[in-house]
Amino acid sequence: MASYDSCLARVLELLEPLAKSGGPVSAASDLVGELGLSSIDVMEMIEGIEDEFDISFPLNNLSSIRTAGELAAEIARLSA
C-alpha cells in the first residue's frame, strides 16, 4: 500500500522529463493544459505506473484526472 505522499513524489519524478513547459511540476500542475502532455505521453506514463505499483488503472477513471495530485491520489487509492 502506497501513501499519497510517496505516490505524489514518484508522479512528480516521472512528469519532470515529460513536461513540455520546462517549468516546475507540482501537485496542482495540469497534465495536459499546463505540462503539455499528449495522450500518448499520459498512456505511457500510466503503463509504467501500473508496473511499478502493481495496479491496474481503469481507463475510464483517467478522463476525470486533470492534475498530478489527482493522479497520485488515484494511484494511492488503487494500491490500497
Side-chain angles (χ1 to χ4, degrees):
M1 176 156 109
S3 71
Y4 169 79
D5 291 333
S6 66
C7 291
L8 180 60
R10 184 62 181 135
V11 165
L12 296 179
E13 189 178 301
L14 290 169
L15 286 173
E16 283 290 335
L18 296 175
K20 312 260 189 302
S21 63
V25 179
S26 71
S29 296
D30 185 279
L31 299 174
V32 176
E34 185 179 336
L35 300 179
L37 298 182
S38 70
S39 57
I40 292 173
D41 292 333
V42 173
M43 292 307 297
E44 287 176 351
M45 187 178 67
I46 294 297
E47 185 178 297
I49 288 170
E50 286 179 326
D51 291 342
E52 184 170 333
F53 288 93
D54 194 30
I55 59 174
S56 180
F57 206 98
L59 293 180
N60 57 341
N61 291 9
L62 197 54
S63 64
S64 64
I65 295 173
R66 297 281 181 238
T67 67
E70 290 171 354
L71 178 59
E74 183 67 7
I75 294 166
R77 186 187 73 76
L78 291 170
S79 67

